[in-house]
Amino acid sequence: MDKTIEKGLSAGLGSPWAPPDADPLEAPDLDATAVRLYTRLLEHGPAPASVLASALGLTEEGAEGAASELARHRLVAHDPGGSCPRWRAVSPYTAAAELVGPEENLLRRRLETLERTRARLSSLIPLYEETYRRGSDSGAVEVVEARDRVMLLISDAAARCTEEVLTVQPGGGRPPGYLERALPRDLEMLRRGVRLQTLYQHTARYSPGTQEYVQAVSRAGGEVRTLGELFGKMLVFDRATAFLPVWDNPDAAVVLREPSAVAFLCSVFTNAWSLAEPFSASYTAATSIQLQDTIAGRLASGAKDELIARRLGMSLRTCRRHIAELMDELGAESRFQAGYLLALRAQGAAPPAATGDPHRASTSP
């Protein structure tokens, strides 16, 4: 018995010429040799592998390989009878019916099930919308303390969003897990034509995960900019619903629906957006100057290194390096002296000619 038939029968297949370990729907395209062999069978009728090999200038093993490839597509079968097994061509219509028909029927039944499920769920939309509207009217400010419910409310607001989403994400690069959850949601909104505007701090430019996220949403039409210092975390959908953090609970959120309050937040965002720089994977001259000015301002106000680092979304080590560079530029020997010199610079006054006690210098005529 032919080895291919023997393998098929031993596996209990309905079609003994099909290799038992092959998924016919995943089979690659036919190569040129297989097409030549199929053409030969169509033109001259059934033939054993040895005859096909001789006619096509192939080895017998090569002919069997081409025939096996056709068998995966159900385009050849072994002709019954005779002492020497012969291959015969099968109509592409028959092959398609055998291969595609069962899967097509299964897919059709699955689609019908999905449509029934969609219709069943869609029938509840009017009830949901009415209840949501009443809840929105009665709950202008809502504090949600469970993280899972916060994420559910954000997903729901994203699904309902039709025009615009505004995002403010301070603190440098975003955690990878958050980005993995946010990217599919944001891309889906962009596909629906929703405008997406996101503000990061300049320090996020050096976060590989954030860079990948920005590239993905930018290709889809999203806009991302950066600013040296941001006013706080915020997420606003359609200028109607805002999500704000709860200062002492990182898992909680304030859901704000009061129109005037949401409008005020949007105006703050618009002002920050107008001052921000388009996102890139490095600092530009403008962002470098802005970052230095922000550090200088914080230093002049007497802020500690930890606070400056946190407000700028950078590590304490990086913050101290920037401060050291700034002090070196000013020629300051202490933070106190640097603050004094920065205050003079901000007022447009010339620094003292010689270094010394800044208090003494300030009393000179």
Side-chain angles (χ1 to χ4, degrees):
M1 181 181 295
D2 180 86
K3 289 183 179 180
T4 305
I5 299 178
E6 185 177 349
K7 286 182 180 179
L9 291 175
S10 64
L13 299 177
S15 298
W17 55 84
D21 58 347
D23 181 353
L25 296 179
E26 297 294 335
D29 292 340
L30 295 170
D31 63 22
T33 302
V35 173
R36 287 174 57 212
L37 191 144
Y38 185 68
T39 304
R40 170 74 188 189
L41 291 175
L42 288 175
E43 293 175 347
H44 299 279
S50 59
V51 173
L52 293 170
S54 176
L56 298 175
L58 304 171
T59 63
E60 189 166 343
E61 182 180 2
E64 284 288 358
S68 295
E69 184 179 349
L70 291 167
R72 281 193 292 272
H73 291 81
R74 301 298 193 269
L75 287 169
V76 296
H78 273 103
D79 201 32
S83 57
C84 182
R86 300 187 305 168
W87 291 103
R88 63 177 175 84
V90 175
S91 162
Y93 298 107
T94 303
E98 182 178 351
L99 282 181
V100 180
E103 292 289 339
E104 202 169 42
N105 291 334
L106 182 63
L107 179 60
R108 187 178 295 111
R109 290 195 297 272
R110 184 62 177 163
L111 287 173
E112 290 172 355
T113 300
L114 291 175
E115 285 302 319
R116 287 196 300 271
T117 302
R118 185 187 300 277
R120 184 165 61 248
L121 297 176
S122 297
S123 67
L124 298 174
I125 289 179
L127 174 63
Y128 176 85
E129 292 289 348
E130 176 61 21
T131 305
Y132 184 88
R133 185 189 63 77
R134 290 201 304 268
S136 299
D137 292 343
S138 61
V141 180
E142 178 185 5
V143 179
V144 182
E145 297 185 349
R147 182 176 179 81
D148 289 345
R149 176 155 173 74
V150 171
M151 299 308 297
L152 184 64
L153 288 173
I154 290 176
S155 296
D156 180 71
R160 297 161 56 86
C161 187
T162 59
E163 295 181 6
E164 179 186 66
V165 57
L166 308 177
T167 307
V168 182
Q169 295 289 347
R174 298 164 76 185
Y178 186 94
L179 291 169
E180 290 173 3
R181 291 192 300 270
L183 183 57
R185 179 194 70 204
D186 294 347
L187 291 178
E188 171 59 27
M189 286 191 290
L190 288 167
R191 279 193 290 269
R192 298 200 311 267
V194 174
R195 184 183 182 188
L196 184 146
Q197 292 182 314
T198 300
L199 274 175
Y200 289 130
Q201 288 183 263
H202 293 326
T203 47
R205 293 172 177 237
Y206 288 101
S207 166
T210 304
Q211 290 173 8
E212 293 177 6
Y213 167 84
V214 172
Q215 289 173 2
V217 297
S218 297
R219 284 195 297 267
E223 299 175 83
V224 183
R225 296 184 182 181
T226 65
L227 202 58
E229 193 170 0
L230 294 174
F231 52 87
K233 191 173 184 178
M234 184 180 79
L235 188 60
V236 183
F237 294 95
D238 281 343
R239 297 182 177 254
T241 305
F243 292 83
L244 304 173
V246 175
W247 72 272
D248 61 347
N249 185 352
D251 292 331
V254 175
V255 185
L256 187 64
R257 302 185 181 92
E258 203 287 316
S260 296
V262 175
F264 172 77
L265 291 175
C266 291
S267 68
V268 173
F269 179 94
T270 300
N271 181 63
W273 183 262
S274 68
L275 299 173
E277 294 284 329
F279 188 98
S280 68
S282 62
Y283 288 162
T284 63
T287 55
S288 295
I289 292 172
Q290 190 180 87
L291 185 65
Q292 186 184 52
D293 288 346
T294 303
I295 292 175
R298 289 288 171 182
L299 193 62
S301 68
K304 294 186 178 299
D305 296 354
E306 290 80 4
L307 176 61
I308 298 174
R310 186 165 60 252
R311 292 299 298 266
L312 296 180
M314 63 176 59
S315 69
L316 182 59
R317 180 180 178 181
T318 301
C319 179
R320 285 175 172 164
R321 177 171 58 80
H322 282 295
I323 291 174
E325 292 173 355
L326 182 59
M327 290 177 62
D328 184 64
E329 177 188 333
L330 293 168
E333 298 177 359
S334 67
R335 290 173 58 92
F336 181 78
Q337 186 182 22
Y340 165 75
L341 294 173
L342 286 167
L344 286 180
R345 188 168 73 176
Q347 295 169 8
T355 59
D357 184 355
H359 286 96
R360 188 179 68 185
S362 63
T363 59
S364 59

